[in-house]
Amino acid sequence: MRVTRKGRNNYAISGEFETFQNWGNENTVHYQITNSHGMLLYRGQKPFCAAFNWQHPIVMKIRKYSTIPPGNYCPLAKGNYELVDFRLQEEDLPLVAVKDTYTVQIKMTGPEEHLVLAYKVQLSIS
């Protein structure tokens, strides 16, 4: 994934990823958000299909700007996928998001809890 500055406080994320197996409910998505002081603000986990089809504004926007087929279905078939010019705007963020630096960690585990993927993103709201 690559981040490109498009303007003042305006960035786009683009890139591609490949899955070598189908992802379904045998996988679990774990997510958490901490602030610059390390305080845990949000944590949860969902079976992959529930996370993948979650009607959350950010999840829906990621799906909109990717080559992942639209619609509610699962599992996600193995293959190549691309994220194209994905941008988050201020209105996409929760109202409780105050000026700070945040760390978002997402990982997915497979059947026996082995790690399938992990992302760690740091972002600042100013």
Side-chain angles (χ1 to χ4, degrees):
M1 298 290 172
R2 65 189 169 281
V3 178
T4 307
R5 185 177 184 154
K6 299 291 186 178
R8 185 172 186 264
N9 292 328
N10 189 353
Y11 297 87
I13 301 171
S14 296
E16 57 187 58
F17 65 95
E18 181 176 4
T19 66
F20 298 104
Q21 62 188 24
N22 295 341
W23 291 347
N25 275 337
E26 68 278 3
N27 302 99
T28 303
V29 177
H30 308 263
Y31 45 91
Q32 76 173 31
I33 301 173
T34 55
N35 67 10
S36 62
H37 306 293
M39 180 186 301
L40 179 64
L41 303 174
Y42 191 67
R43 174 186 285 166
Q45 67 182 39
K46 293 180 180 286
F48 176 78
C49 293
F52 184 66
N53 292 314
W54 191 11
Q55 296 299 304
H56 186 280
I58 294 174
V59 173
M60 291 171 24
K61 194 167 188 177
I62 289 171
R63 302 249 337 240
K64 178 181 175 185
Y65 286 90
S66 73
T67 57
I68 295 170
N72 289 338
Y73 67 91
C74 210
L76 176 65
K78 64 182 176 180
N80 294 308
Y81 298 97
E82 192 172 9
L83 187 63
V84 181
D85 208 23
F86 171 71
R87 300 178 196 203
L88 277 180
Q89 305 298 328
E90 187 174 344
E91 59 271 9
D92 298 324
L93 301 173
L95 294 174
V96 296
V98 297
K99 293 180 183 181
D100 202 348
T101 300
Y102 298 92
T103 301
V104 179
Q105 297 179 58
I106 300 171
K107 71 177 185 175
M108 186 168 67
T109 56
E112 292 129 32
E113 293 299 312
H114 69 278
L115 188 63
V116 174
L117 68 84
Y119 285 100
K120 183 176 182 180
V121 178
Q122 191 168 41
L123 60 101
S124 295
I125 298 175
S126 54

